[in-house]
Amino acid sequence: MEISPHKQRIATSIVLAVLPALALIFQGWVLFTVLSLFCVLTLWEFYSMFRPVRHMTAFKSLGAAFTFLLLGAFTTGDVRYPSAILLAAFWASGFIFLVRYNRDTSASYRHAAIFLVGLIYIPMNFHFFLSMDRMEILLIIGAAAVSDTAAFYAGSLWGKRKIWPRISPKKSWAGSIGGFTACALGVTVYGETFGLPEVALWKWILLGGLLNVAAQMGDFLESAIKRSLDIKDSGSILPGHGGLLDRVDSLLLVTPAYALVAMFHPFFR
């Protein structure tokens, strides 16, 4: 019996919710392990998007090692350690380039640059989860999920006028407005229920709007990267969704956006 793409999307979403749920229940080393493995898989997928893939083989293994080192460094609470890890990653990628260039003067620094961008794009953006409590993590994941889901259905029902057809042909203004409205409403209800009582209503609405804009920009960025590489999906590991990066592209910008705002204005205890 063939399962429709829509049902595949729903089933995949349910399965994907299990690991974050376990990480949230136990936190500590469980959260670190789940987040690290997820970042490694997503990072490998990101590197595999660039051709020729064989040139990224060494960087994929190196990226996995530096992901664990980088996330581990952030758990110390000392900013010197993550900075040192990133510098080490820079010089390690530079050394690989030197060896390749010595063998072949036509070798490009492009893949070394992609290696560094990948570390910033994925584990650097996701490391904020390690310093957040359960309520904050649920807010961020929920805001990204509500934004994507509402935009999908609103766009499917009423979407005619496209936003950036060259970047994402299916993204419409109706979907954008639907996602924005749903996210602002969802964040406000969640915040009023679980957040600090002294946080004004308008601040929750503003936060919801900000997180939705971040979600949409994260989505557009990944779409632009794929189109520039002439590929449809970042991978095929998730039935109905494509790749891991296709699923978390909006979350990659929502997470640091919330972390930045929360640095200046706490929303939870």
Side-chain angles (χ1 to χ4, degrees), residues 180-191:
F180 184 91
T181 304
C183 185
L185 180 61
V187 168
T188 301
V189 172
Y190 184 88

Side-chain angles (χ1 to χ4, degrees), residues 46 49-50 121 220-229:
F46 174 76
M49 291 166 60
F50 296 87
Y121 186 31
F220 276 123
L221 175 60
E222 200 242 355
S223 294
I225 292 173
K226 289 190 297 184
R227 292 188 72 80
S228 70
L229 297 172

Side-chain angles (χ1 to χ4, degrees), residues 111-153:
H111 290 91
I114 293 169
F115 164 75
L116 294 171
V117 169
L119 288 177
I120 296 172
Y121 186 31
I122 296 168
M124 276 290 288
N125 277 319
F126 276 156
H127 89 270
F128 294 103
F129 281 128
L130 297 173
S131 59
M132 293 178 183
D133 61 28
R134 291 184 178 91
M135 304 313 297
E136 291 179 305
I137 296 175
L138 284 172
L139 172 74
I140 293 170
I141 295 176
V146 167
S147 295
D148 291 346
T149 303
F152 174 79
Y153 285 108

Side-chain angles (χ1 to χ4, degrees), residues 69-79 81-83 86 123-124 127 130:
L69 289 173
L70 189 59
L71 292 177
F74 276 113
T75 63
T76 66
D78 191 331
V79 296
Y81 294 114
S83 299
L86 280 177
M124 276 290 288
H127 89 270
L130 297 173

Side-chain angles (χ1 to χ4, degrees), residues 47-175:
Y47 290 152
S48 296
M49 291 166 60
F50 296 87
R51 303 290 190 269
V53 177
R54 61 185 177 83
H55 289 169
M56 292 302 302
T57 302
F59 288 121
K60 287 171 73 173
S61 301
L62 198 63
F66 273 103
T67 292
F68 281 99
L69 289 173
L70 189 59
L71 292 177
F74 276 113
T75 63
T76 66
D78 191 331
V79 296
R80 293 176 298 177
Y81 294 114
S83 299
I85 297 300
L86 280 177
L87 281 175
F90 170 79
W91 287 112
S93 64
F95 178 75
I96 293 176
F97 167 68
L98 285 173
V99 171
R100 288 181 172 176
Y101 191 79
N102 183 57
R103 295 175 179 172
D104 181 5
T105 55
S106 65
S108 171
Y109 188 70
R110 174 175 178 263
H111 290 91
I114 293 169
F115 164 75
L116 294 171
V117 169
L119 288 177
I120 296 172
Y121 186 31
I122 296 168
M124 276 290 288
N125 277 319
F126 276 156
H127 89 270
F128 294 103
F129 281 128
L130 297 173
S131 59
M132 293 178 183
D133 61 28
R134 291 184 178 91
M135 304 313 297
E136 291 179 305
I137 296 175
L138 284 172
L139 172 74
I140 293 170
I141 295 176
V146 167
S147 295
D148 291 346
T149 303
F152 174 79
Y153 285 108
S156 299
L157 291 173
W158 305 295
K160 292 183 179 180
R161 187 176 179 184
K162 308 304 180 183
I163 303 176
W164 283 340
R166 288 186 178 180
I167 294 176
S168 187
K170 295 183 180 180
K171 297 293 189 301
S172 65
W173 282 105

